[in-house]
């Protein structure tokens, strides 16, 4: 298929006689041997499936080549080997589902009504095989009772899949909630071992699921069997108490665990990098995005199972890794396209050109394009009206360009497909003809006309005419707009000198940007100072000292300790920050100028008023116990009991969220104790063990080493009392159904991790935070390190509690995002930004209050106040303009005048 | 009587306009009586636009965002 | 660090895999000023995410 020629019209697929299972819909539907993978696919090129194509296999057919009007189908294409010279490689080949057929006892192959999580995603999708109607595959009936069976292909010993896939609990809960949104009366049960809802916003999500009536059954599913008489399924499961139960369901979903992609092994060999025993990419705790070979980095599912935000974070982080390496070459290959000088059209008489696209038969097959083109001629100020076979083809681009120049057009209307995909192309064309890009207006007569009214040709033609009339009406009042360019000060301010802040500062400095790093305490290091051991055995102390040395000695990093932010003025690219620094009594003030801010203010363990903490010196926070173990202050003796309690002040009314890392930290300390003295008995009292990902291995090891895990319910929390020479912990064992009493020489508490909040910083820099006080990212999945304010990024535990490797990846990601602005050196505001006519502004500040992007400031001007729009931060949404009582604000390309012109032109409809 | 209402639509560029495009790509069919105006956000829509729509003969107005 | 990297650096990066991670890393690198070759096995970029219905915990559309 020739990508340049294919217009994505899809006529070839209509003529193709071969159908095959559609992989995008998990084979629940079919598609053609020449088809597009899915409707929104990019590139939107149709492709031939060589294994199924009749011509390629039997040398007959070629219906598609006859149907294709652009001659895009070329059966002579052959695979080619290309070679490229690059400075770095990033591997992001992802993961795949564990094959469900391999778990024989779950009967995936016995019944169509046992589906994988990804199949269920398609079933619930509005663009899926059943149009979003929850149906089961065997008879397309609504499945009243649905079961989700967790840990399918994960956490199973002896299968090579001992690890936890991290995301299946979360996506099962999501699928269940989505299913209930479609059909509120569904009866849904989730069978699970531990619900691993770690991560930002997920514990609340879990609670929401419980409240909506989804049943959660702690159990292990032994077998799923098809009921002989009908298509239902019987699930056999064993509860925590060891009882065997049976229940029948209409549909069973297996949210499959994740495993390495099939090609990982050969890719690793080709790239010369190491894989882990599980077949994922091997990386180091302190260099989580580096492979074993210099210059080759990894991100996302190639490194292990992870959720979207982590994958996106790592992706940006890996970009920073590569950029650090290639700094001297930045911008050496990329060249910006040059355009001729823009013609000034302000004084000219209106000359509108209308170009109507046939899009082969896509538009012309329904809409009478000749009629629409003729109609355009009668609209005022239209001096050119032509139709084109394909407006997007290169020859038409040339024709439009020549016509604009020859006919001295100063407004161009293109009636074709959607401006969402094609406006940039036509804008470029008019720019090449010397016009400002805002002098183009597009009309969508394909996606929103011919394609959706395929059987109403006359009505569709009428609609196309109306839309063209409305567009010409708007085009008469569109004008050339400039794109304000705001310089970016190529310096960074990083607030917080812990692991994340230091990592971010170092990455920016390595990329050549000067950086000021502020730390409120008198030394760098943050929480990393509290770590003495890691699960993998890597030494956190030596890494800490190495990192501090690198940061302090870097010529582009200035470190200020005992520093506080007093005031922040300015906006993206141009911040002025007043700080104080130095010891009490000797504080110095300084004003810094910088283009971006990275917030890495960290978090700290919560100190509860519970379990005798602070009253008995045998009760410690977990990291305090870790320190005592490391320094030898606490030497666990033979037959001593050490008890660790999880979820203290966490996942309850005090702090509703799960702090993600405490389960792994508890296991680390328990294993440390066992290493120091195998005869010490360690008990971990938990609610769900959330040792996600590869940490599951350590949970397994802990059980093998005799560490005893006792689950408790929130309603039945352990009771701690002081005894003579120790502390007494009483806990109800759910398996035995009775209380157990443990006399412990040491009680370690895993408490919630709460954000570090500083009043002065919050007053100076009002960046939105969640109810729990963690900084909010502007999009959970896709912009995990961008704050709501342009030019301000977040990383580390200020975003949410996270492990060392996660913090490093996120800090690198924040540095990557910041360096985009710093490297470019300017912010270019889109021409859609708002502007304020000062003489009309009454200074009411409604606009500033409603602006979702903090892009409007109100300042004193003369006697009154005036609104001023920060073009660099404006996104053109226009809320300000619609609220402005004095009509002082206008929005580029969407002015009142233009919109009223469209409405009036609408009114001329016959 | 034929049922041919005149409907004016205001669509947010980022969501509803994109959804309307997706309807086209998926070849979903719907009645051809709507004429749309694209805006960058439904926040741009002023009550006066809706009144102007009715004054210009709209039988109904659709806003999507 | 091997010597070859020091001797000859090219301001281009190859990203292998066009799922969400590959797309994101490619965009960030291109925005920072590096030429990117994004290599994808399938006929469209998007990877697994393109086949998902919604994303947790916000239930935003995946596609």
């Amino acid at each position: 298929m020739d990508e340049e020629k294919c217009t994505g019209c899809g006529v070839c697929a209509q003529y193709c006689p071969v159908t095959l299972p559609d992989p995008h819909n998990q084979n629940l539907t079919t598609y053609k041997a020449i088809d597009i993978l899915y409707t929104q696919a990019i590139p939107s090129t149709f492709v031939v499936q060589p294994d199924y194509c009749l011509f390629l296999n039997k040398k007959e057919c070629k219906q598609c080549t006859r149907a294709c009007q652009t001659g895009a189908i070329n059966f002579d294409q052959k695979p080619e080997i290309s070679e490229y010279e690059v400075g770095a490689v990033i591997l992001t080949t992802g993961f795949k589902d564990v094959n469900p057929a391999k778990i024989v006892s779950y009967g995936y192959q016995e019944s169509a009504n046992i589906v994988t999580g990804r199949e269920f995603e398609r079933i619930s999708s509005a663009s899926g095989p059943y149009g979003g109607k929850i149906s089961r595959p065997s008879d397309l009936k609504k499945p009243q009772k649905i079961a989700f069976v967790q840990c399918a292909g994960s956490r199973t010993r002896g299968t090579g899949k001992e690890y936890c896939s991290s995301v299946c609990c979360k996506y099962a809960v999501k699928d269940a909630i989505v299913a209930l949104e479609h059909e509120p009366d569904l009866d849904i049960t989730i069978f699970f071992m531990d619900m691993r809802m770690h991560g930002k916003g997920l514990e609340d999500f879990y609670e929401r699921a419980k409240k909506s009536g989804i049943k959660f059954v702690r159990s292990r599913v032994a077998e799923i069997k098809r009921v002989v008489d009908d298509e239902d399924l019987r699930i056999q499961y064993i509860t925590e108490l060891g009882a065997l139960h049976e229940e029948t369901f209409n549909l069973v979903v297996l949210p499959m665990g994740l495993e390495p992609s099939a090609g990982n092994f050969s890719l690793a060999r080709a790239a010369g990098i190491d894989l882990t025993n599980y077949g994922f990419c091997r990386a180091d705790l302190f260099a989580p995005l580096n492979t074993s070979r210099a210059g080759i980095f990894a991100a996302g599912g190639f490194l292990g199972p992870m959720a979207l935000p982590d994958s996106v974070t790592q992706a940006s982080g890996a970009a920073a890794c590569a950029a650090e390496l290639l700094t001297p070459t930045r911008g050496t290959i990329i060249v910006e396209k040059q355009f001729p000088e823009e013609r000034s059209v302000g004084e000219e008489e209106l000359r509108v050109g209308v170009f109507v696209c046939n899009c082969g038969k896509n538009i012309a097959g329904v809409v009478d394009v000749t009629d629409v083109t003729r109609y355009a001629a009668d609209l005022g100020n239209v001096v050119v009206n032509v139709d084109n076979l394909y407006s997007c083809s290169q020859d038409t681009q040339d024709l439009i360009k020549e016509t604009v120049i020859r006919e001295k057009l100063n407004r161009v209307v293109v009636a074709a497909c959607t401006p969402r995909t094609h406006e940039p192309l036509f804008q470029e064309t008019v720019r090449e003809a010397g016009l400002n890009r805002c002098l183009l207006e597009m009309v969508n007569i394909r996606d929103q006309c011919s394609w959706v009214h395929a059987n109403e040709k006359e009505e569709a033609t009428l609609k196309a005419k109306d839309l063209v009339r409305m567009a010409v009406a708007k085009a008469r009042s569109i004008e050339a707009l400039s794109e304000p360019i705001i310089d970016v000060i190529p310096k960074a301010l990083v607030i917080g000198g812990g692991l994340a802040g230091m990592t971010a500062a170092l990455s920016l400095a390595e990329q050549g940007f000067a950086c000021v790093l502020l730390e409120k305490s008198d030394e760098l290091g943050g929480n990393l100072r509290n770590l003495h051991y890691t699960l993998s055995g890597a030494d956190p102390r030596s890494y800490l000292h190495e990192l501090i040395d690198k940061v302090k000695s870097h010529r582009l990093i200035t470190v200020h300790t005992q520093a506080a932010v007093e005031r922040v003025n300015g906006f993206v690219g141009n911040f002025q920050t007043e700080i104080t620094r130095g010891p009490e009594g000797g504080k110095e003030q300084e004003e810094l100028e910088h283009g971006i801010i990275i917030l890495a203010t960290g978090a700290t363990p919560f100190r509860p008023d519970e379990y005798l903490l602070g009253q008995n010196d045998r009760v410690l926070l977990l990291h305090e116990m870790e320190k005592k173990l490391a320094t030898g202050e606490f030497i666990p003796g033979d037959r001593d009991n050490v008890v660790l309690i999880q979820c203290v002040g966490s996942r309850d009314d005090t702090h509703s969220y799960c702090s993600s890392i405490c389960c792994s930290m508890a296991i680390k300390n328990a294993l440390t104790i066992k290493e120091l003295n195998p005869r010490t008995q360690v008990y971990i009292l938990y609610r769900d063990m959330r040792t996600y990902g590869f940490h599951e291995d350590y949970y397994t090891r802990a059980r093998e080493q005799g560490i005893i895990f006792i689950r408790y319910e929130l309603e039945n929390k352990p009771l701690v009392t002081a005894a003579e020479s120790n502390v007494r912990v009483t806990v109800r064992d759910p398996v035995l159904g009775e209380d157990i009493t443990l006399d412990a020489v040491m009680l370690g508490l895993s408490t919630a991790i709460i954000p570090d909040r500083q009043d002065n910083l919050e007053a100076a820099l009002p960046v939105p935070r969640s109810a729990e006080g963690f900084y909010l990212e502007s999009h959970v999945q896709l912009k995990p390190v961008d704050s709501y304010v342009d030019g301000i990024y977040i990383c580390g535990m200020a975003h949410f509690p996270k492990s060392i490797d996660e913090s490093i990846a996120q800090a690198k990601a924040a540095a990557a995002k910041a360096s985009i602005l710093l490297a470019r050196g300017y912010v270019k505001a889109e021409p859609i930004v708002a502007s304020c006519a000062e003489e009309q502004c009454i200074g009411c500040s409604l606009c500033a209050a409603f602006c979702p992007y903090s892009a409007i400031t109100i300042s004193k001007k003369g006697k009154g106040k005036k609104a001023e729009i920060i073009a660099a931060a404006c996104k053109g949404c226009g809320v300000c303009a619609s609220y402005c009582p004095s009509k002082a604000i206008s929005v580029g390309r969407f002015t009142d005048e233009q919109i009223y012109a469209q409405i009036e032109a609408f009114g001329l409809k016959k | 009587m034929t049922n041919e209402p005149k409907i004016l639509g205001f669509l947010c560029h980022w969501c509803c306009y994109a959804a309307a495009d997706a309807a086209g790509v998926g070849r979903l069919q719907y009645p051809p009586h709507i004429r749309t105006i694209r805006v960058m956000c439904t926040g741009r829509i002023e009550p006066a636009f809706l009144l102007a729509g009715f004054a210009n003969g709209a039988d109904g107005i659709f806003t999507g965002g | 660090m091997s010597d070859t990297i020091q001797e000859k650096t090219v301001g281009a990066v190859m990203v292998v895999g066009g799922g969400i991670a590959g797309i994101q890393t490619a965009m960030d690198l291109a925005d920072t000023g590096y030429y990117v070759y994004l290599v994808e096995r399938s006929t469209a970029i998007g990877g697994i995410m393109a086949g998902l219905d919604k994303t947790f915990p916000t239930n935003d559309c995946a596609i």
Side-chain angles (χ1 to χ4, degrees):
Chain A
M1 185 66 76
D2 188 335
E3 248 180 72
E4 300 287 309
K5 290 184 184 163
C6 176
T7 64
C9 73
V11 173
C12 53
Q14 287 166 18
Y15 280 88
C16 177
V18 185
T19 54
L20 55 141
D22 174 2
H24 178 70
N25 272 329
Q26 300 290 316
N27 302 339
L28 293 166
T29 47
T30 56
Y31 76 148
K32 295 295 187 68
I34 183 163
D35 215 322
I36 188 166
L37 193 55
Y38 51 95
T39 45
Q40 300 89 342
I42 296 170
S44 57
T45 312
F46 280 60
V47 283
V48 178
Q49 298 299 327
D51 291 347
Y52 293 88
C53 170
L54 281 182
F55 177 74
L56 289 177
N57 289 287
K58 296 186 181 157
K59 294 281 165 219
E60 53 193 39
C61 186
K62 273 201 171 182
Q63 294 273 13
C64 52
T65 44
R66 282 190 287 276
C68 179
Q69 300 208 340
T70 60
I73 304 165
N74 173 9
F75 280 108
D76 297 327
Q77 273 187 339
K78 293 271 178 296
E80 291 168 29
I81 291 179
S82 314
E83 217 169 276
Y84 299 96
E85 275 200 8
V86 295
V89 176
I90 300 178
L91 303 175
T92 55
T93 52
F95 45 55
K96 66 178 175 64
D97 273 9
V98 169
N99 180 359
K102 283 197 174 158
I103 314 170
V104 179
S105 56
Y106 284 0
Y108 176 75
Q109 282 177 312
E110 308 300 317
S111 168
N113 294 333
I114 302 177
V115 298
T116 65
R118 279 178 67 193
E119 285 166 359
F120 192 77
E121 294 278 342
R122 299 316 304 156
I123 290 175
S124 69
S125 170
S127 60
Y130 312 137
K133 193 168 160 33
I134 305 291
S135 316
R136 63 178 194 175
S138 74
D139 49 15
L140 301 185
K141 280 189 192 151
K142 174 180 160 192
Q144 197 58 41
K145 279 187 77 181
I146 303 178
F148 286 79
V149 177
Q150 297 308 111
C151 297
S154 287
R155 301 182 67 189
T156 321
R157 299 186 75 171
T159 57
K161 305 281 182 295
E162 286 87 353
Y163 56 87
C164 158
S165 294
S166 298
V167 298
C168 340
C169 283
K170 302 165 184 174
Y171 85 74
V173 169
K174 174 202 70 183
D175 285 346
I177 287 178
V178 169
L180 278 185
E181 279 168 6
H182 285 264
E183 303 281 352
D185 63 339
L186 292 177
D187 180 352
I188 301 179
T189 306
I190 298 185
F191 294 95
F192 73 101
M193 298 203 290
D194 294 280
M195 278 312 287
R196 294 197 163 160
M197 303 298 287
H198 55 278
K200 204 170 185 174
L202 286 154
E203 186 70 21
D204 289 342
F205 195 51
Y206 179 29
E207 287 301 318
R208 196 174 118 201
K210 285 196 249 180
K211 285 201 187 89
S212 69
I214 295 163
K215 286 175 269 184
F216 289 85
V217 178
R218 197 180 291 272
S219 60
R220 180 91 212 189
V221 169
E223 197 175 47
I224 305 169
K225 270 197 145 166
R226 189 173 156 181
V227 177
V228 181
D229 299 337
D230 50 34
E231 300 286 345
D232 289 346
L233 300 148
R234 189 165 296 153
I235 292 188
Q236 254 187 14
Y237 62 97
I238 302 158
T239 63
E240 211 178 14
L241 302 173
L244 186 71
H245 296 265
E246 268 194 0
E247 195 173 345
T248 303
F249 292 89
N250 307 119
L251 178 75
V252 173
V253 184
L254 303 176
M256 296 310 299
L258 303 165
E259 64 180 15
S261 290
N264 271 20
F265 190 70
S266 51
L267 176 67
R269 199 164 44 187
I273 59 163
D274 294 344
L275 299 180
T276 65
N277 293 344
Y278 290 130
F280 290 103
C281 179
R282 183 181 296 285
D284 184 71
L285 180 67
F286 302 118
L289 308 173
N290 294 47
T291 67
S292 54
R293 182 168 170 187
I296 302 186
F297 306 95
F302 185 50
L303 283 162
M306 69 186 71
L308 267 170
D310 298 309
S311 198
V312 171
T313 302
Q314 287 194 347
S316 294
C321 292
E324 288 168 35
L325 189 68
L326 304 178
T327 301
T329 67
R330 184 171 59 222
T332 52
I333 303 187
I334 291 179
V335 276
E336 227 172 291
K337 192 174 171 177
Q338 299 296 318
F339 290 95
E341 202 174 320
E342 276 175 20
R343 194 175 98 211
S344 164
V345 299
E347 303 297 310
E348 292 179 11
E349 201 182 307
L350 283 173
R351 292 179 69 80
V352 183
V354 178
F355 298 86
V356 186
C357 185
N358 284 275
C359 196
K361 286 264 171 257
N362 274 295
I363 296 171
V366 178
V367 170
D368 185 340
V369 171
T370 319
D371 191 20
V372 174
T373 311
R374 208 182 304 125
Y375 173 79
D378 299 335
L379 300 169
N381 309 104
V382 172
V383 292
V384 169
N385 57 313
V386 287
D387 70 301
N388 318 110
L389 183 58
Y390 288 104
S391 295
C392 56
S393 65
Q394 191 50 52
D395 55 323
T396 309
Q397 301 302 300
D398 295 339
L399 175 102
I400 293 175
K401 192 174 137 186
E402 285 159 20
T403 314
V404 168
I405 296 168
R406 191 183 60 239
E407 300 292 333
K408 295 198 166 46
L409 298 180
N410 46 33
R411 304 289 186 281
V412 176
V413 172
V414 175
C417 50
T418 172
R420 287 175 51 253
T421 56
H422 279 69
E423 195 178 63
L425 174 76
F426 292 112
Q427 283 184 336
E428 200 172 294
T429 308
V430 300
R431 282 180 77 184
E432 282 170 5
L435 288 182
N436 180 280
R437 70 177 169 125
C438 298
L439 297 172
L440 167 86
E441 185 63 22
M442 273 191 83
V443 195
N444 189 337
I445 59 167
R446 187 184 78 171
D447 308 46
Q448 297 187 17
C449 188
S450 67
W451 276 356
V452 289
H453 312 307
N455 305 316
E456 291 146 303
K457 298 189 174 182
E458 272 175 36
E459 284 287 348
T461 304
L462 212 58
K463 178 171 174 178
K465 286 183 187 172
D466 288 346
L467 291 174
V468 167
R469 183 179 66 244
M470 289 164 70
V472 170
K474 179 177 178 181
R476 289 190 198 108
S477 60
I478 57 179
E479 47 193 5
L481 295 172
S482 62
E483 293 164 50
I485 288 181
I486 301 107
D487 285 339
V488 171
I489 301 167
K491 288 182 188 167
L493 174 67
V494 180
I495 306 175
L499 173 62
M502 284 193 289
T503 306
L506 200 57
S507 176
L508 285 172
E510 285 291 304
Q511 294 184 59
F513 305 111
C515 228
V516 174
L517 177 61
L518 301 186
E519 166 57 37
K520 66 171 179 171
S521 77
D522 53 4
E523 52 187 358
L524 294 173
N527 284 300
L528 191 55
R529 304 196 79 84
N530 295 329
L531 295 185
H532 300 265
Y533 308 101
T534 62
L535 273 173
S536 64
D539 179 9
R541 308 294 293 172
S542 61
Y543 181 71
L544 170 72
H545 294 126
E546 199 182 304
L547 183 61
I548 291 176
D549 284 349
K550 269 193 206 160
V551 166
K552 281 187 173 166
S553 62
H554 203 291
R555 65 183 175 87
L556 290 174
I557 301 178
T558 312
V559 178
H560 292 312
T561 50
Q562 292 176 298
V565 171
E566 300 299 336
R567 210 183 324 279
V568 182
N569 287 323
F571 49 87
V572 53
N574 295 270
F575 290 104
Q576 299 90 37
T577 302
E578 233 174 77
I579 62 157
T580 55
R581 57 185 167 86
E584 280 310 322
K587 289 260 179 238
E588 285 175 57
Q589 274 207 337
E590 191 178 338
E591 186 171 295
L592 306 170
E593 291 201 326
H594 48 100
I596 65 98
I597 300 174
I598 291 180
L599 291 168
T601 49
T604 181
F606 169 62
R607 291 198 76 86
D609 201 10
E610 193 175 18
Y611 298 132
L612 301 181
L613 184 74
Q615 298 168 38
N616 188 314
D617 21 318
R618 292 181 181 273
V619 183
L620 295 173
L621 293 182
L622 202 57
H623 74 269
E624 296 167 340
M625 193 181 87
E626 180 167 334
K627 188 179 177 188
K628 282 191 192 287
L629 285 168
T631 55
E633 252 184 277
F634 167 44
I635 301 168
D638 292 1
R639 314 224 171 275
D640 273 356
N641 287 335
V642 177
V643 177
L644 309 178
I645 303 180
Q646 301 302 107
C647 299
V648 180
S650 200
R651 298 180 64 199
D652 62 7
D653 291 342
T654 333
H655 304 98
S656 63
Y657 56 94
C658 158
S659 297
S660 302
I661 55 174
C662 341
C663 282
S664 293
M665 272 189 61
I667 290 205
K668 176 188 77 177
N669 279 290
L671 285 170
T672 306
I673 293 169
K674 279 287 185 190
E675 203 169 297
L676 291 169
N677 188 345
R679 281 192 287 275
T680 304
Q681 188 58 59
V682 188
Y683 296 86
I684 297 183
L685 313 186
Y686 73 100
R687 287 172 56 200
D688 288 277
M689 279 313 287
R690 293 185 169 171
T691 42
Y692 56 92
F694 303 121
H695 286 181
E696 182 72 9
D697 287 347
Y698 300 100
Y699 180 28
T700 307
R701 189 187 296 172
R703 280 174 296 168
E704 283 167 356
Q705 299 206 357
I707 291 161
I708 293 174
F709 291 84
I710 302 172
R711 196 175 65 79
Y712 72 90
E713 299 278 352
L714 184 58
E715 302 73 41
N716 242 332
K717 292 211 286 191
L719 198 71
V720 177
T721 51
E724 219 164 287
S725 60
N726 49 33
V727 283
R728 175 161 293 180
V729 183
T730 311
V731 62
R732 173 161 288 259
D733 186 315
V735 180
L736 302 173
E738 52 192 56
D739 286 349
I740 298 176
T741 302
L742 305 163
D743 285 327
V745 294
M746 191 65 82
L747 173 63
L749 303 180
S750 291
T751 62
I753 293 163
I754 56 172
D756 210 340
R757 304 187 71 159
Q758 301 157 43
D759 293 342
N760 55 344
L761 178 62
E762 285 183 40
L765 201 56
V767 175
R769 290 173 180 258
S770 67
E772 297 105 12
F774 294 107
Y775 283 118
L776 280 174
E777 57 274 51
S778 71
H779 190 285
V780 176
Q781 286 85 20
L782 300 177
K783 290 189 163 185
V785 297
D786 296 70
S787 80
Y788 272 81
V789 186
D790 274 4
I792 302 183
Y793 310 92
I794 47 184
C795 62
M797 301 230 281
H799 164 266
F800 202 68
K802 49 179 62 69
S803 58
I804 291 175
D805 46 346
E806 290 167 347
S807 264
I808 293 174
Q810 202 184 23
K812 294 247 184 199
K817 293 295 182 190
S819 67
I820 291 174
L821 277 182
L822 297 173
R824 194 190 294 143
Y826 63 85
V827 186
K828 200 175 197 177
E830 282 287 307
I832 52 172
V833 297
S835 56
C836 180
E838 209 173 89
E839 60 284 1
Q840 273 165 269
C841 176
I842 54 169
C844 71
S845 60
L846 266 180
C847 51
F850 281 105
C851 177
Y853 305 103
S854 312
I856 303 181
T857 55
I858 306 290
S859 50
K860 250 191 141 57
K861 288 257 171 80
K863 280 183 186 167
K865 287 178 176 173
K866 298 288 176 192
E868 200 178 328
I869 287 148
I870 304 163
C874 174
K875 307 271 186 230
C877 72
V879 171
C880 50
S882 46
Y883 277 98
C884 179
S886 60
K887 296 278 157 225
I889 297 183
S890 100
V891 184
R893 302 191 64 203
F894 296 89
T895 64
D896 281 3
E897 187 191 1
Q898 290 160 7
I899 292 173
Y900 281 121
Q902 279 173 291
I903 297 172
E904 275 160 33
F906 161 81
L908 300 173
K909 175 174 153 64
K910 285 169 198 86
Chain B
M1 187 192 127
T2 54
N3 182 18
E4 289 191 0
K6 287 168 67 169
I7 299 168
L8 179 62
F10 290 94
L11 311 188
C12 161
H13 172 85
W14 302 107
C15 52
C16 195
Y17 195 89
D21 283 347
V25 175
R27 305 296 197 275
L28 304 179
Q29 302 295 305
Y30 56 84
H33 309 302
I34 191 168
R35 307 291 180 263
T36 58
I37 293 176
R38 180 174 67 107
V39 287
M40 292 311 288
C41 169
T42 39
R44 178 68 191 92
I45 302 167
E46 297 176 26
F49 294 169
L50 309 184
L51 297 178
F54 288 122
N56 279 282
D59 296 309
I61 296 184
F62 171 93
T63 66
Chain C
M1 189 91 24
S2 79
D3 290 338
T4 48
I5 292 175
Q6 298 292 335
E7 278 164 21
K8 186 176 155 199
T9 353
V10 181
V13 180
M14 179 168 289
V15 177
V16 185
I20 183 66
I23 294 171
Q24 185 64 57
T25 201
M27 290 201 305
D28 287 344
L29 282 164
D31 282 344
T32 316
Y34 300 96
Y35 198 90
V36 180
Y37 301 97
L38 177 59
V39 184
E40 164 60 36
R41 172 173 55 184
S42 156
T43 56
I45 56 172
I48 289 177
M49 187 176 176
L52 303 183
D53 179 20
K54 303 274 164 57
T55 55
F56 59 74
T58 49
N59 286 4
D60 283 346
C61 266
I63 189 84

